[in-house]
Amino acid sequence: MVAEDVATNRFGRPIATRFPPEPNGFPHIGHLKAIALNFGIAREFGGRCNLRFDDTNPTTEDVKYVEAFKTDLTWLGYQWDAELYASDYFEKLYAFAELLVENEKAYVDSQSEPQIRQTRGTVTTPGTDSPYRDRTVDQSLELLRRMRAGEFPDGAHVLRAKIDMAHPNMVMRDPLLLRIRHKHHYRQGDNWCIYPFYDFAHPLSDAIEGITHSLCTLEFKDNNDIYKWLVRECGFVHPPEQTEFSRLELDYTLFSKRKLLRLVNEGFVAGWDDPRMPTIAGARRRGVTPEALIAFVESAGVSRKPQRTELATYEHAVRDDLNMRVPRVMCVTNPLKVVLTNYPEGQVEELDASYYPHDVPKTGSRKVPFSRELYIERDDFMEDAPKKFFRLAPGREVRLRYGYFITCTDVVKDAKGEIVELRATYDPATRGGDSPDGRKVQGTIHWVSAPHALDAELRLYDKLFTIPDPDAVEEGEDFVSVLNPESLVVVKGAKIEPSVANDPAGTRYQFERTAYFISDAIDSKPRALVFNRTVTLRDSWAKIKNK
Ligand code: ATP
Ligand code: MG
């Protein structure tokens, strides 16, 4: 569509788009779809894209949300051509209001908003004219001026467009344009006591900025008529045109800012940047990269068909991106000690360990210490192991990644019968993980040297809701009732290899065989490491077991 408009020079000016968030919450992955689309089109066609805060509602907006949008857009790599505020157009909007009244295209109605709603009619029946609809231009103009001057209380009057109370599109039945609200605005202070409705502010803000393509989500489809009407009646030549696309909807996720705000305010999450939140700040803290987020929303495509995206699609995009960029290190989530009875006491070797597998076009390695006492993953040992369990079991041999082959010889239990330690022997001829005699082992497991390992806290994040569409809770039920009680599981006492000790907070890793993690930008300290799980790897044994 845009390419065709460029080819025909339809607007007589370069392509101009805008991203118009209301600063009443943090930007989320749903917003990113609109961001990628608007900035992407401007970039593709050599146009410009404005960041315009749609800040026309004095009760819910705050400068901290403005800052969040700017911070996150910058982190995502988008650069806006202008930073604009719909509230800066209040004076211009007011001038348009007077123009419409003068042209008999608007009038001051003195019914209450509920009365106005009641007389709108229904989809099948026309509405009824307001008794104030026939006010003269002078009467309406005088009232409008006095509304602005603050002479009336909230709700005493509204400005309405004069269109058609029988219009088949309900939005066109004399829509409300301005209302009285004696409220402080976070940017305008107490300059104004009349505030514009969306249908008035949005099309005119676009037109004032010379936007060509006003892209918005499908729920504004019916508003397209008032959009067209308004920019025409206000005299714009080649006005912007609105085109709708379907919202991004993601399973197990909510994007409504009102609901997200409740999660924050009522402490269901730790804040807007809680790694479980679908916000950009949450994804960042969780370890997701800008590239993965953008690849994800772009892969969802742009269409007019409402659609939900599976969480697996999102996780796949996150994994795909991290797979190619982050180093692999070894961390044991749930440690089980292994003593190598034939390894010399006091001996420590520094083994070569590469950070990347062969299919990743990056290089780099570190040394990992190896000693007589190791930790392995409790899940990597099974006493009565079935045949297909390719890990450690009594009498079975496995490869320690970058290390040696070991064979389990004894299982040490406490009085209650719990396994507390394993005894094993290592084969000195298998250093580096190769067997000289061509002997095969089925499994390779990760490990850390017990005296060298660092303690780590792992924050294991999972989906925030238990049902795929948390917006669709049963009637009368609260959406917080479908919050997942296990969306955060904190593991203390994990053991990580010492090579990570000096990495700055916010470093991403793949913990071999378990998941991608990032050291928490805020809480991780050199002696108290904290890692957030970004996304798991696929667990092949879990798959077999579940079968
Ligand atoms: P909410 O109802 O949660 O407040 P909103 O759509 O009103 O959401 P805005 O801040 O007004 O939030 O949105 C700014 C822009 O982002 C709009 O153009 C809107 O259409 C777009 N947007 C918001 N959510 C999504 C989504 N899930 N998918 C695609 N675009 C979205
Ligand atoms: Mg909105």
Side-chain angles (χ1 to χ4, degrees), residues 305-364:
K305 203 175 70 191
Q307 56 187 21
R308 296 190 67 81
T309 303
E310 285 181 36
L311 200 56
T313 309
Y314 174 65
E315 294 187 344
H316 180 80
V318 174
R319 248 183 234 121
D320 246 23
D321 168 79
L322 293 173
N323 178 43
M324 295 310 263
R325 68 164 82 218
V326 302
R328 278 114 170 112
V329 299
M330 294 193 286
C331 176
V332 174
T333 307
N334 186 8
L336 174 60
K337 189 175 265 186
V338 180
V339 179
L340 302 178
T341 50
N342 62 338
Y343 194 88
E345 273 192 67
Q347 177 175 306
V348 178
E349 289 173 83
E350 294 289 334
L351 299 175
D352 278 326
S354 62
Y355 276 129
Y356 306 97
H358 298 301
D359 56 347
V360 170
K362 290 184 91 169
T363 52

Side-chain angles (χ1 to χ4, degrees), residues 18-24 28-31 33-34 38 54 69 215-217 219-220 245-249 255-258:
R18 82 290 170 268
F19 171 60
E22 185 178 356
N24 61 355
H28 51 59
I29 298 170
H31 286 121
K33 177 160 180 175
N38 282 294
D54 229 334
F69 271 96
L215 309 172
C216 69
T217 39
E219 67 274 20
F220 295 104
F245 62 94
S246 64
R247 299 177 84 82
L248 178 77
E249 312 257 21
F255 287 131
S256 156
K257 281 182 282 178
R258 188 175 50 82

Side-chain angles (χ1 to χ4, degrees), residues 3 26 30 72 168 248 284 363 435 450:
F26 270 51
D72 291 353
L248 178 77
R284 173 169 60 234
T363 52
S435 69

Side-chain angles (χ1 to χ4, degrees), residues 50-78:
N50 295 339
L51 171 59
R52 180 176 74 237
F53 291 99
D54 229 334
D55 58 348
T56 56
N57 179 350
T59 57
T60 55
E61 294 161 2
D62 196 284
V63 67
K64 71 174 179 233
Y65 301 126
V66 168
E67 291 307 321
F69 271 96
K70 289 165 62 178
T71 303
D72 291 353
L73 275 166
T74 303
W75 179 74
L76 288 161
Y78 293 104

